[in-house]
Amino acid sequence: MYEFTKDCMIGIKEIDDEHKKLFDMINDAIALADKTDDVKSIANNLIKNLKDYANVHFAHEEAYMKKINDPELESQIKEHKAFAKKVNSFELDTSSDEASKKSLNDILVYIIQWLYKHILGSDIMIGKLSDHSEEAENDNPFEFTDKYKTDIALIDDEHRHLFEIIEKTNELIHENLLHDKYDEIMHLLDELKTYTETHFNDEEALMEKISYPGLAAQKKAHAAFVDKLVHIDINELDEIDEHQQAYLFELINYLLSWLSNHILGSDLKIGEYIRENNISID
Ligand SMILES: [Fe+2]
Ligand SMILES: [Fe+2]
Ligand SMILES: [Fe+2]
């Protein structure tokens, strides 16, 4: 049973309802496949229904993003297409009843895991990518201000450092003679990846240590973000020109917004939990 938990809600009712419905459909399909000996007769139908509903949902989501002029629309369309391609290429292994069952279950698990990652890594940002140009001049979006503080020294230091790497990358992208900076930018993106993983490991270890109830949800969110980082399309960046510069601006906007959103929406709660329960972490 894959639960559609609160952390998967992006706060836009139409989209949340559709995500929930997808989860329900998958859970029903898994339960049905489990009860049936001959899944061959039901597999095609199940997958077709899921695929159809996912397509309807993607169309709604893309229309919504278009309406609000969301800068991530293009990359979302790409992700949705990749999903459709994978599901379209599914073929049930019919060599035996056992094999059919396994192959149906595999694709259902693939779909649910894709959904978790996609919702937590991408959909969660719909409507949240702030347009920094509207912010006051003296408001530096890269500044690690008090509002981000969990009051857990290790976590705050690591978050501050993540902001610093993103800010450094951003500065570099703004500089002229960008093509000279390719190696440096790559290096910083790499550093960001590595340091993000270190940070998530540390944060998860801490949550484990204090038996934090939100650990599972945090792990899923972290995995979704790492997945996005890993899939930064380096090939798209083999030469840095104006087009790549625009791509990098959007990337920075996404990275900063995801992190800021995650710290404010999830990580701060770790600090609250520690204070409410008088836990000593030293
Ligand atoms: Fe999406
Ligand atoms: Fe964190
Ligand atoms: Fe976190």
Side-chain angles (χ1 to χ4, degrees), residues 22-255:
L22 276 167
F23 270 64
D24 288 344
M25 287 173 81
I26 295 162
N27 280 320
D28 289 349
I30 291 173
L32 186 65
D34 198 44
K35 275 195 298 211
T36 319
D37 283 325
D38 173 25
V39 297
K40 272 176 247 167
S41 54
I42 56 165
N44 286 340
N45 229 352
L46 283 181
I47 299 299
K48 186 183 178 305
N49 288 345
L50 261 169
K51 204 171 68 187
D52 288 349
Y53 191 74
N55 282 334
V56 168
H57 161 63
F58 291 157
H60 286 164
E61 200 175 86
E62 288 166 16
Y64 179 87
M65 293 180 77
K66 200 168 173 187
K67 195 175 78 192
I68 63 166
N69 234 329
D70 195 292
E72 290 259 285
L73 176 60
E74 285 308 312
S75 79
Q76 279 260 15
I77 291 176
K78 259 195 220 163
E79 289 181 29
H80 295 160
K81 274 199 185 132
F83 171 82
K85 200 169 152 204
K86 166 88 186 182
V87 177
N88 278 332
S89 68
F90 168 72
E91 259 176 69
L92 190 75
D93 181 345
T94 52
S95 56
S96 70
D97 283 352
E98 201 68 355
S100 306
K101 219 171 203 177
K102 181 170 180 310
S103 99
L104 178 60
N105 196 65
D106 286 350
I107 183 79
L108 291 170
V109 170
Y110 168 84
I111 293 175
I112 199 91
Q113 273 162 0
W114 184 90
L115 265 179
Y116 270 131
K117 282 207 172 128
H118 180 73
I119 293 174
L120 295 169
S122 302
D123 293 345
I124 201 105
M125 298 314 297
I126 296 175
K128 291 194 187 113
L129 284 158
S130 49
D131 181 0
H132 297 307
S133 62
E134 279 173 21
E135 277 167 45
E137 291 254 315
N138 54 359
D139 231 19
N140 174 8
F142 298 95
E143 201 186 339
F144 186 79
T145 49
D146 282 352
K147 71 173 178 189
Y148 293 116
K149 284 198 182 133
T150 61
D151 289 332
I152 306 160
L154 171 78
I155 302 296
D156 288 340
D157 287 346
E158 292 185 350
H159 286 159
R160 186 179 296 106
H161 187 57
L162 282 170
F163 273 52
E164 279 164 9
I165 305 174
I166 298 175
E167 181 172 24
K168 249 204 282 179
T169 317
N170 184 59
E171 277 165 10
L172 214 55
I173 299 169
H174 270 88
E175 284 179 21
N176 291 328
L177 288 171
L178 209 64
H179 54 274
D180 289 344
K181 303 281 189 262
Y182 178 79
D183 289 342
E184 261 177 282
I185 291 173
M186 283 303 114
H187 178 78
L188 279 173
L189 286 176
D190 220 49
E191 191 185 329
L192 181 66
K193 253 182 241 178
T194 315
Y195 196 74
T196 300
E197 283 178 293
T198 304
H199 164 60
F200 286 165
N201 283 336
D202 288 346
E203 202 178 83
E204 287 169 17
L206 171 83
M207 288 186 274
E208 201 131 2
K209 198 171 106 189
I210 61 170
S211 305
Y212 182 63
L215 174 63
Q218 278 263 14
K219 274 191 172 168
K220 271 188 280 164
H222 292 167
F225 188 64
V226 168
D227 195 62
K228 280 281 244 194
L229 285 173
V230 169
H231 285 100
I232 291 177
D233 201 346
I234 303 289
N235 290 326
E236 251 183 272
L237 298 174
D238 53 3
E239 196 190 312
I240 306 225
D241 55 19
E242 262 166 54
H243 167 74
Q244 327 291 19
Q245 192 175 22
Y247 170 87
L248 286 166
F249 280 141
E250 261 167 43
L251 179 66
I252 294 293
N253 190 9
Y254 164 81
L255 295 172

